[in-house]
Amino acid sequence: MPPTSYRPTGPPDSPLLDSDSDADLDIDLAELDPVPSSSKPHGSRFRGAEPRPAQRAPPIALRNLRMSGPRRSAKRNRGYGELGRDRIGDDDAMPLVDDELQDQRYSDASGFADDDAPLLRQQAARPPQPSAAGGLRALAQMRSTLRLPSFMSSTSTHRRNSNGDHDDDDAAQELEDPSTSRTVAVGCVQGTRYPPNLISNAKYTAFTFLPITLYNEFSFFFNLYFLLVALSQAIPALRIGYLSTYIAPLAFVLFITMGKEAYDDVERRRRDNEANSEAYTVLNFGDSNLTTNHKSRNPLITSSLRNRHGRKSARRDRLSDIREEEEQVEGEGFNSASTDPYEISKKSRDLRVGDVLKLNKGQRVPADVVILQCSSVESSQTEGQEPDAESLLVDTDDESSGENVEAGDGDRPEQSEDSSSGETFIRTDQLDGETDWKLRVASALTQPLPLGELTRVRVTGGKPDKSVNDFIGTIQVLPKGNAVANSPSAPLSIDNTAWANTIVASQVTTFAVIVYTGPQTRSALSTAPSRSKTGLLEYEINSLTKILCALTLALSIILVALEGFGSAGENVWYVKITRFLVLFSTIVPISLRVNLDMGKSVYSWFIQRDTDIYGAVVRTSTIPEDLGRIEYLLSDKTGTLTQNEMEMKKVHIGTVSYANEAMDEVASYVRQAFSSKSGTQALVTPSSTQNIVGGASATRTRREIGQRVRDVVLALALCHNVTPTTEEENGETITSYQASSPDEIAIVRWTESVGLRLKQRDRKRMVLESTDSGETVVQVRILDIFPFTSDGKRMGIVVQFDEEKHATSNPETGEVWFYQKGADTVMGSIVAANDWLDEETANMAREGLRTLVVGRKRLSMDQYGEFSRAYKDAALAINGREAALQRVVGRFLESDLELLGVTGVEDKLQKDVKPSLELLRNAGIKIWMLTGDKVETARCVAVSSKLVARGQYIYTVAQLKRKDNAQDHLDFLRSKPDSCLLIDGESLSLFLTHFSSEFVSVAVQLPTVVACRCSPTQKADVAKLIKDFTKKRICCIGDGGNDVSMIQAADVGVGIVGKEGRQASLAADFSIEQFYHLTKLLVWHGRNSYKRSAKLAQFVIHRGLIVAVCQTVYSIAIKFEPEGLYKDWLLVGYATVYTAAPVLSLVLDKDVNENVANLYPELYKELTSGRSLSYRTFFVWVLVSIYQGSVIQGLSQLLTEVDGKRMVAVSYTVLVLNELLMVAIEITTWHLVMVLCIIGTFIVFVGSVPFLGGYFDLEFASTWGFYWRVLAISAISLIPPYAGKVIRRTMKPPSYRKVQGI
């Protein structure tokens, strides 16, 4: 009879005591592992664990915290204990299997873990020892349950009832909850459904399109006004003319606008589809994909699992793999692939969590992945031995792990010194804006595995997070076959990942498993959703429409009041007011939206057809006028202002500076210094003098210069983290370089150009060869590397030189040298005293060059031995390790370095960036540069691009941590309003959090602001802050995925089609291919769009207002009766056939030509004030409309009759003729289309008169009396406004006429 399952009798949150527990050794968990209250509970201690409510952990037995192997290991039944502890979650106190299964699995009463099992496995220095039990007993152990430690349980944990079904409803909601951690089975179908890997920049779906667009349309007052007017015509007492007269225009406007929105969104989806259709190579493991659905041979287990298949349990994610693995152990065991996996091609949209990607150099990473293997030779993957668990487990401390990876000091397991080093570089500038390449490494557990066995790997990660610089997880390799060995596991950190939209930069084949897809990727979580944008002109017209509506209401009330509010039959006074409102509805012209939308389409067509900005795409066609109203430009740096291509421009060695053509002299020095005689085995060392330039015949000065040149070139060729790689292109072998910094690559390329090439580099050795002879001239052994950090701002290397070829360094005789290069701000105090360093670095900085100071120091073997011992002792420190290591380096190495020289590296700018920025600044646009790059890099680019004017003071605020110092910085900036502010992300965050209003009030007054180390969210926050504070138009431009949030937060978002991706371009309102295209987009197309739309809007308002004035005069003449003057076709035809084309032709008008607009960018500054469509110009047009309407209707009634077809014929003809001539008067630059529209419309009107017999007196219209009346009234209506315009332009000409001399 099998024993019953064990259930502890104590409460779930109390420690389980056994007979040998030591109460006096119980300690508080917080004392052992204190966690700051601000941090996430257990966030860094248990991989994949979810944050829990703050609670005091119960005491745990001190004996349970040993760091060595567990006692009585032979008696311990581990089962799946290691898996359980790897997946610690909120339900850890629950049994891992059903009660019914426990009865079948226990072979004896010891089927649960012993009480002194180690509780903090991941803190252990060595992995747990495997059980010593035999075959049958081991299998029983594999099937046993795990009793988890009670201190890991949550107070809210509920034990299941015997039927196990009471919590089904709650658990069902948690199955696909993205807030929980996930365990990914590599190469297998996942037990949890995850979102598809889709990129979407669309604003609408099929269900949301109508509600959102209708809401957006009717949120504008004039659309809502016309909706009410149209609805009023359904009431017979209020109906005037045909119902279609009012319904059709509104429906047409909505159709045009919504059609345009639909077209724009369809285009976005089409472009998204291109990105989602990008093909990737995926490994297919054949039948192993069915692992998670493998049918067990144990009917009891199968039945239980089938019964529980529909249950959505919170424990499902954590336990699914355990059950799957157990079924396989019961049946066939873990099936290693019988054949190697084969490659298939999948579109990006079809990629799923668990897929294994094969990525090559230059490929975009389509989803968030964990790197499994890196190898430059795919065929090198062979069936290998199972990696030893103890040798592969690495320290779980994130910081120390990161140090080992970065420093390459050998703490990681040794790999063979071939291409399978498990390392790759990625470019993250599309994600975080940083130009430095990032080193990524495969886990030591998976790197040696054959590809066919990757299905045994399980990756555990936390919930989806938008933090691009953090990741906590674990990786585990399950036992092979029926083996009873423990499952080795290792921690994962950010160094083992590659996020979506990063680029593989190494010439290696990278195999990676997808962990997060689509909306759960870091890139997507850092991006704000798309929003509908409305131009400033729309809001201004909306305000003017409200004034017109108020004028309409006032006019209606006045006319009824003049009649005395009398009531005759059904004509009650409020009905009369309503009918007057309908009659005067032309004051708020519904055609205004039609004309403006058609104008926007024309502007978009002009932009996309402009050959000077070839490749420009308008993705949001509703805001082209805002291009002419920009006052703040927020720009990214990398890929936007710069090409992210570095070039070594200058080197200074103390007495001589070399640049441009003078580099040939450096090459001659290097050629002589590193020349090797054929057959000789001697190598060059810093102390060797046989190759000093010129020999005895050279002057002393020349010999000194030659030696200094040799020393600085040798230092630059050795002091770096660059690795050479070879690749074949078109049958030729090409050497390329990989490094985390493009600066270092530029320097190594420069040393190659002057004659000293990096031939070979691994973790232990470096070989240099002469480019002339191809012979090896320098060999060194790498003893220590001190990588560059943002705080240290320097990197160093300790090397030992070989004296002969093909021989290892003699530990006793080989020269040991310490080389270091870094920023002048830190190196100035490290190198020996000199009188030229500060001056030369300042000169290079003024040129916009990124300066590095190079120094060296020779160490005796005793000195190095003493340093090495002290460094190792410091590395063992638990607390303050970083500071201790730095103190040792500073004490033994960083003192009195020999100053060798200063280098100047230029970050190449995009084409015509300097003149473009100068032109935009002269146009009155204040420019901010927001970048994720370093402070020094941002400063250099700001200077080299002329973003900062020569002589302009740069005020730097960096690493500001205290609020009390922030106010001092603000006070200083107030006193120097002409300075440039350079601020880092940490300081910016403090200002935005505590002093947002004060900061932005000061910053917006500065001509230039440079913010570096900015996260994508910070960029968007800055854009929103400026927009909300100033109420001005903001334009944001960028090229990377990290700029999408900023672009979408701006009033106008401009995306540059980058070399590595189009994410910014797809999400932007306007897409261009070069930064300098922005100047034409703003100064020319923006100017034209705004000026044309402003004039168009005023004409449409004038066209409707003049009809309302005529109606008013007519109503007064017929004793205030609400009868229509122009009915049915006359009203519709006037707004469409007879005036629409001439008025719309104003979209072709231009006040200046393109050359003048570029030559005088100050003309753009006037546009930002909005004078082209202001309250002043609006009321001028209102007065003109009142004058012309009164003259036209008044004289028509006086010269003909008060009410009749003759009066209508004269009045309507003059009205149409007046509008055509007004368009002609307002045109600045004539276009053939304008002439055709005006003449063609007039011909159409004349031709349609014979068909207007129902409205006109056609006999009278054919007499001379009709013609002279029309001409006379037209002259009186047009001459005074035209004369006023001429006089005004003569007395106070506009700026564009001044510069043109007109």
Side-chain angles (χ1 to χ4, degrees):
M1 176 178 177
T4 59
S5 61
Y6 173 78
R7 288 185 182 274
T9 58
D13 293 312
S14 64
L16 300 175
L17 303 177
D18 60 8
S19 59
D20 63 343
S21 66
D22 302 315
D24 58 324
L25 292 179
D26 287 354
I27 62 171
D28 195 336
L29 178 63
E31 298 175 5
L32 177 73
D33 188 20
V35 180
S37 59
S38 60
S39 62
K40 294 182 180 180
H42 312 297
S44 61
R45 300 299 171 191
F46 302 100
R47 310 296 178 179
E50 279 302 293
R52 308 176 187 173
Q55 59 180 344
R56 182 175 178 81
I60 46 178
L62 182 61
R63 55 184 169 75
N64 285 349
L65 304 175
R66 307 188 301 278
M67 306 307 285
S68 61
R71 293 177 297 174
R72 304 191 303 275
S73 60
K75 300 179 181 180
R76 181 156 307 127
N77 299 317
R78 306 299 288 249
Y80 283 98
E82 300 308 315
L83 283 172
R85 277 192 290 271
D86 280 345
R87 298 186 180 93
I88 292 170
D90 290 340
D91 304 327
D92 293 312
M94 294 185 177
L96 297 189
V97 293
D98 284 323
D99 298 339
E100 58 195 89
L101 298 182
Q102 295 178 10
D103 294 340
Q104 300 295 329
R105 293 176 185 178
Y106 293 130
S107 59
D108 53 41
S110 61
F112 48 83
D114 194 56
D115 280 347
D116 58 357
L119 302 186
L120 301 179
R121 183 192 60 77
Q122 292 187 9
Q123 303 293 331
R126 295 199 301 266
Q129 299 297 323
S131 174
L136 293 175
R137 180 174 176 80
L139 184 59
Q141 292 171 348
M142 295 285 286
R143 300 170 55 188
S144 65
T145 62
L146 169 70
R147 188 198 66 188
L148 290 177
S150 61
F151 83 93
M152 294 182 184
S153 67
S154 172
T155 56
S156 61
T157 302
H158 302 288
R159 296 191 178 278
R160 297 183 316 179
N161 294 336
S162 58
N163 58 11
D165 294 330
H166 75 285
D167 56 351
D168 283 1
D169 294 339
D170 294 337
Q173 300 175 0
E174 298 177 10
L175 175 65
E176 297 177 7
D177 183 4
S179 65
T180 58
S181 60
R182 64 182 62 183
T183 297
V184 178
V186 176
C188 301
V189 178
Q190 306 303 308
T192 303
R193 181 178 299 175
Y194 297 109
N197 192 49
L198 290 174
I199 296 174
S200 178
N201 290 292
K203 294 180 180 179
Y204 313 104
T205 65
F207 300 102
T208 62
F209 176 73
L210 274 178
I212 293 178
T213 51
L214 287 176
Y215 173 80
N216 290 337
E217 288 304 308
F218 289 118
S219 63
F220 284 98
F221 181 78
F222 53 83
N223 281 351
L224 183 62
Y225 174 79
F226 264 95
L227 177 64
L228 296 175
V229 169
L231 293 176
S232 71
Q233 296 304 289
I235 303 174
L238 302 179
R239 184 174 298 171
I240 299 176
Y242 297 129
L243 181 63
S244 59
T245 304
Y246 299 91
I247 296 293
L250 179 63
F252 180 70
V253 168
L254 294 179
F255 177 78
I256 292 294
T257 305
M258 295 172 67
K260 208 154 61 60
E261 280 290 308
Y263 175 78
D264 289 344
D265 214 50
V266 167
E267 284 296 299
R268 291 190 195 96
R269 289 184 179 275
R270 183 184 62 79
R271 290 185 291 267
D272 288 342
N273 187 56
E274 292 177 1
N276 292 326
S277 299
E278 190 174 351
Y280 287 90
T281 301
V282 178
L283 296 187
N284 189 301
F285 294 89
D287 293 340
S288 63
N289 280 340
L290 303 176
T291 299
T292 57
N293 297 322
H294 184 74
K295 189 172 182 179
S296 174
R297 296 180 183 176
N298 189 325
L300 293 176
I301 295 177
T302 305
S303 174
S304 174
L305 289 177
R306 186 183 301 115
N307 292 337
R308 301 181 58 193
H309 179 70
R311 181 177 304 168
K312 310 301 184 181
S313 171
R315 301 179 298 280
R316 175 67 176 84
D317 182 54
R318 184 160 56 95
L319 303 181
S320 59
D321 291 337
I322 295 177
R323 291 174 180 141
E324 296 156 10
E325 294 150 12
E326 184 177 43
E327 290 175 25
Q328 294 169 339
V329 173
E330 294 281 304
E332 300 175 0
F334 288 107
N335 294 328
S336 58
S338 57
T339 58
D340 287 337
Y342 57 91
E343 298 177 359
I344 61 173
S345 180
K346 274 190 177 183
K347 294 181 179 179
S348 178
R349 68 161 69 91
D350 298 326
L351 297 176
R352 296 292 181 264
V353 171
D355 284 351
V356 178
L357 294 175
K358 178 184 177 183
L359 299 170
N360 296 313
K361 181 179 180 180
Q363 275 194 291
R364 180 183 71 90
V365 180
D368 289 356
V369 301
V370 168
I371 298 173
L372 300 176
Q373 292 185 1
C374 300
S375 175
S376 59
V377 183
E378 184 180 352
S379 61
S380 66
Q381 296 290 345
T382 58
E383 294 291 329
Q385 298 295 325
E386 178 71 17
D388 180 69
E390 184 164 349
S391 65
L392 290 178
L393 286 179
V394 295
D395 187 24
T396 62
D397 185 76
D398 291 339
E399 295 181 2
S400 62
S401 176
E403 290 166 8
N404 295 341
V405 169
E406 191 170 12
D409 55 6
D411 288 349
R412 292 175 297 179
E414 282 295 323
Q415 304 283 348
S416 59
E417 294 187 5
D418 60 6
S419 58
S420 302
S421 63
E423 296 180 351
T424 186
F425 283 95
I426 62 171
R427 292 201 298 269
T428 64
D429 49 334
Q430 293 290 306
L431 183 68
D432 57 16
E434 295 189 16
T435 58
D436 294 354
W437 289 9
K438 305 297 190 302
L439 176 65
R440 292 293 185 262
V441 293
S443 172
L445 284 176
T446 57
Q447 178 63 27
L449 282 179
L451 289 180
E453 296 187 10
L454 289 180
T455 52
R456 299 193 289 115
V457 176
R458 299 293 182 266
V459 175
T460 302
K463 64 180 180 180
D465 189 1
K466 68 179 181 180
S467 175
V468 297
N469 296 317
D470 296 305
F471 177 73
I472 294 176
T474 56
I475 192 167
Q476 187 174 34
V477 179
L478 302 179
K480 181 164 64 172
N482 290 326
V484 193
N486 286 309
S487 304
S489 63
L492 295 175
S493 68
I494 187 66
D495 296 322
N496 308 112
T497 64
W499 302 140
N501 294 317
T502 58
I503 310 296
V504 178
S506 297
Q507 187 65 29
V508 298
T509 299
T510 303
F511 296 95
V513 60
I514 297 177
V515 182
Y516 305 103
T517 53
Q520 294 184 348
T521 61
R522 258 59 172 180
S523 175
L525 291 173
S526 299
T527 302
S530 300
R531 65 183 182 91
S532 297
K533 296 184 179 181
T534 304
L536 181 60
L537 188 73
E538 300 271 4
Y539 291 113
E540 292 173 343
I541 292 176
N542 199 44
S543 299
L544 299 180
T545 304
K546 293 176 183 178
I547 297 176
L548 291 174
C549 185
L551 182 62
T552 303
L553 179 61
L555 193 57
S556 303
I557 294 175
I558 290 173
L559 291 177
V560 175
L562 291 176
E563 191 185 10
F565 290 102
S567 299
E570 296 181 356
N571 289 335
V572 187
W573 63 270
Y574 53 82
V575 174
K576 288 185 176 181
I577 291 178
T578 306
R579 287 174 61 87
F580 272 123
L581 284 174
V582 175
L583 286 173
F584 295 148
S585 61
T586 56
I587 291 181
V588 187
I590 188 63
S591 59
L592 179 59
R593 285 304 304 275
V594 179
N595 283 274
L596 289 178
D597 287 345
M598 293 177 69
K600 295 175 192 292
S601 300
V602 173
Y603 310 147
S604 301
W605 187 82
F606 281 148
I607 292 173
Q608 295 182 142
R609 292 294 296 268
D610 193 332
T611 55
D612 291 339
I613 51 175
Y614 179 79
V617 178
V618 179
R619 306 200 191 281
T620 305
S621 57
T622 58
I623 57 172
E625 298 92 354
D626 276 9
L627 292 171
R629 309 288 294 278
I630 302 300
E631 294 192 48
Y632 289 90
L633 174 65
L634 276 58
S635 174
D636 179 41
K637 178 188 74 68
T638 308
T640 304
L641 298 178
T642 69
Q643 302 178 32
N644 196 24
E645 294 181 6
M646 308 298 174
E647 183 179 0
M648 178 87 157
K649 284 290 189 180
K650 183 180 290 188
V651 59
H652 195 285
I653 60 172
T655 55
V656 183
S657 179
Y658 296 98
N660 302 324
E661 293 81 7
M663 293 299 183
D664 295 337
E665 187 175 349
V666 175
S668 66
Y669 284 132
V670 172
R671 189 164 43 250
Q672 290 179 301
F674 292 96
S675 60
S676 62
K677 298 178 181 178
S678 122
T680 181
Q681 296 296 313
L683 296 172
V684 178
T685 66
S687 300
S688 58
T689 58
Q690 67 272 21
N691 290 333
I692 294 302
V693 176
S697 61
T699 63
R700 178 181 177 183
T701 302
R702 182 168 177 78
R703 285 199 304 271
E704 289 179 353
I705 292 176
Q707 184 170 353
R708 292 183 68 86
V709 168
R710 184 199 69 170
D711 291 341
V712 74
V713 172
L714 179 61
L716 293 174
L718 294 175
C719 187
H720 54 72
N721 271 315
V722 179
T723 302
T725 60
T726 57
E727 53 187 292
E728 288 193 5
E729 290 185 7
N730 300 325
E732 297 181 1
T733 301
I734 299 176
T735 301
S736 60
Y737 298 108
Q738 300 173 4
S740 62
S741 171
D743 295 57
E744 292 196 324
I745 295 178
I747 291 175
V748 171
R749 283 177 176 163
W750 176 80
T751 62
E752 180 182 0
S753 70
V754 296
L756 196 59
R757 178 189 294 123
L758 177 62
K759 178 182 180 181
Q760 182 182 342
R761 164 76 179 265
D762 55 37
R763 296 178 182 177
K764 298 299 182 184
R765 306 191 64 79
M766 202 182 314
V767 177
L768 306 180
E769 69 176 8
S770 171
T771 57
D772 290 331
S773 62
E775 296 285 336
T776 298
V777 291
V778 177
Q779 284 184 184
V780 297
R781 186 165 71 95
I782 302 173
L783 302 180
D784 292 285
I785 295 180
F786 312 103
F788 180 91
T789 63
S790 57
D791 293 330
K793 300 180 181 179
R794 58 192 183 275
M795 75 85 57
I797 186 171
V798 179
V799 297
Q800 187 173 29
F801 285 83
D802 291 346
E803 296 180 351
E804 293 184 357
K805 299 179 183 178
H806 312 298
T808 58
S809 304
N810 187 333
E812 301 297 331
T813 61
E815 298 179 21
V816 177
W817 287 82
F818 169 61
Y819 290 99
Q820 190 171 51
K821 70 175 187 287
D824 59 288
T825 53
V826 295
M827 292 294 291
S829 59
I830 295 176
V831 298
N834 61 88
D835 57 356
W836 59 271
L837 178 61
D838 293 339
E839 179 181 358
E840 190 56 35
T841 53
N843 292 336
M844 290 188 182
R846 277 192 289 270
E847 298 176 26
L849 301 179
R850 303 165 69 163
T851 58
L852 286 174
V853 179
V854 187
R856 69 176 182 177
K857 182 177 184 177
R858 183 169 184 177
L859 304 174
S860 65
M861 294 306 301
D862 292 338
Q863 288 176 320
Y864 178 73
E866 186 178 358
F867 158 76
S868 182
R869 288 189 295 271
Y871 194 76
K872 289 179 180 178
D873 291 341
L876 298 176
I878 299 298
N879 297 320
R881 180 185 303 173
E882 290 293 335
L885 292 173
Q886 185 54 49
R887 282 195 298 270
V888 172
V889 173
R891 173 186 170 193
F892 289 94
L893 303 181
E894 294 181 340
S895 60
D896 293 329
L897 264 66
E898 178 188 356
L899 177 60
L900 297 178
V902 180
T903 64
V905 177
E906 179 187 44
D907 191 351
K908 289 185 178 180
L909 299 175
Q910 293 279 6
K911 180 182 178 182
D912 291 339
V913 162
K914 294 181 183 179
S916 298
L917 290 176
E918 183 180 4
L919 187 147
L920 294 174
R921 193 183 296 109
N922 292 336
I925 299 175
K926 295 182 178 179
I927 305 172
W928 290 38
M929 185 173 77
L930 310 179
T931 177
D933 223 327
K934 298 185 287 291
V935 175
E936 292 78 11
T937 306
R939 178 194 292 269
C940 291
V941 172
V943 172
S944 62
S945 65
K946 297 296 186 284
L947 184 62
V948 176
R950 179 178 292 273
Q952 185 176 2
Y953 179 72
I954 301 177
Y955 185 70
T956 304
V957 181
Q959 297 182 342
L960 184 64
K961 296 181 175 63
R962 301 184 49 164
K963 293 191 293 183
D964 50 357
N965 295 332
Q967 197 61 47
D968 297 336
H969 294 295
L970 294 176
D971 293 339
F972 180 86
L973 290 171
R974 288 191 185 97
S975 64
K976 289 186 72 68
D978 58 343
S979 60
C980 167
L981 171 63
L982 177 61
I983 186 170
D984 67 349
E986 182 181 7
S987 307
L988 180 62
S989 178
L990 187 142
F991 277 117
L992 295 181
T993 303
H994 301 288
F995 304 95
S996 59
S997 58
E998 296 93 331
F999 171 74
V1000 72
S1001 64
V1002 174
V1004 295
Q1005 302 300 324
L1006 302 176
T1008 304
V1009 176
V1010 178
C1012 44
R1013 288 295 184 194
C1014 283
S1015 66
T1017 305
Q1018 279 183 322
K1019 291 183 177 184
D1021 289 343
V1022 170
K1024 294 174 185 175
L1025 191 64
I1026 298 175
K1027 184 170 62 174
D1028 294 340
F1029 181 82
T1030 63
K1031 309 300 181 185
K1032 305 294 186 182
R1033 296 285 97 176
I1034 309 296
C1035 176
C1036 293
I1037 181 171
D1039 75 314
N1042 62 310
D1043 303 316
V1044 171
S1045 294
M1046 173 180 72
I1047 287 173
Q1048 293 180 338
D1051 296 303
V1052 177
V1054 180
I1056 294 180
V1057 180
K1059 295 179 181 178
E1060 294 85 10
R1062 296 178 298 166
Q1063 190 174 359
S1065 169
L1066 291 174
D1069 304 309
F1070 300 90
S1071 172
I1072 56 179
E1073 295 192 348
Q1074 294 286 340
F1075 179 83
Y1076 75 92
H1077 290 171
L1078 181 66
T1079 57
K1080 186 167 188 181
L1081 194 65
L1082 298 183
V1083 175
W1084 178 240
H1085 290 289
R1087 176 185 185 84
N1088 288 338
S1089 299
Y1090 171 62
K1091 297 281 284 187
R1092 290 165 175 172
S1093 284
K1095 185 176 289 187
L1096 182 63
Q1098 290 168 340
F1099 253 97
V1100 174
I1101 292 173
H1102 165 267
R1103 185 177 64 188
L1105 193 57
I1106 195 173
V1107 173
V1109 173
C1110 291
Q1111 177 67 53
T1112 303
V1113 174
Y1114 174 71
S1115 297
I1116 294 174
I1118 60 172
K1119 299 180 181 180
F1120 307 103
E1121 287 298 320
E1123 295 295 330
L1125 172 60
Y1126 309 123
K1127 298 180 181 179
D1128 305 332
W1129 168 251
L1130 293 184
L1131 198 58
V1132 175
Y1134 172 74
T1136 55
V1137 178
Y1138 300 145
T1139 60
V1143 172
L1144 189 59
S1145 70
L1146 289 172
V1147 300
L1148 302 175
D1149 192 21
K1150 51 186 179 183
D1151 55 354
V1152 296
N1153 59 44
E1154 185 179 346
N1155 291 332
V1156 172
N1158 290 326
L1159 188 60
Y1160 299 98
E1162 293 79 8
L1163 293 174
Y1164 184 88
K1165 193 182 301 184
E1166 294 182 352
L1167 303 180
T1168 58
S1169 62
R1171 293 179 183 176
S1172 297
L1173 182 63
S1174 61
Y1175 287 114
R1176 176 180 173 276
T1177 58
F1178 168 72
F1179 283 112
V1180 167
W1181 278 98
V1182 168
L1183 292 176
V1184 170
S1185 301
I1186 292 174
Y1187 167 77
Q1188 291 185 332
S1190 301
V1191 168
I1192 291 171
Q1193 187 60 29
L1195 291 180
S1196 296
Q1197 293 177 171
L1198 289 175
L1199 297 178
T1200 55
E1201 55 190 359
V1202 173
D1203 187 12
K1205 290 186 176 180
R1206 288 189 174 188
M1207 180 272 296
V1208 172
V1210 173
S1211 173
Y1212 193 79
T1213 303
V1214 174
L1215 189 65
V1216 172
L1217 190 60
N1218 179 83
E1219 196 65 24
L1220 297 180
L1221 293 175
M1222 282 294 292
V1223 170
I1225 290 173
E1226 288 298 319
I1227 290 175
T1228 305
T1229 305
W1230 282 90
H1231 191 281
L1232 179 61
V1233 175
M1234 297 176 177
V1235 177
L1236 295 177
C1237 284
I1238 294 175
I1239 297 177
T1241 299
F1242 180 73
I1243 293 174
V1244 169
F1245 172 71
V1246 173
S1248 66
V1249 169
F1251 302 97
L1252 301 177
Y1255 309 101
F1256 291 179
D1257 185 344
L1258 296 181
E1259 294 183 3
F1260 175 71
S1262 60
T1263 63
W1264 285 106
F1266 171 79
Y1267 295 131
W1268 75 260
R1269 286 178 175 84
V1270 169
L1271 293 176
I1273 296 173
S1274 298
I1276 297 172
S1277 171
L1278 288 168
I1279 291 176
Y1282 178 73
K1285 178 181 178 180
V1286 172
I1287 293 172
R1288 185 176 71 254
R1289 287 188 174 181
T1290 303
M1291 300 296 295
K1292 191 178 180 181
S1295 299
Y1296 70 86
R1297 288 187 168 266
K1298 292 179 182 178
V1299 299
Q1300 287 178 319
I1302 299 177

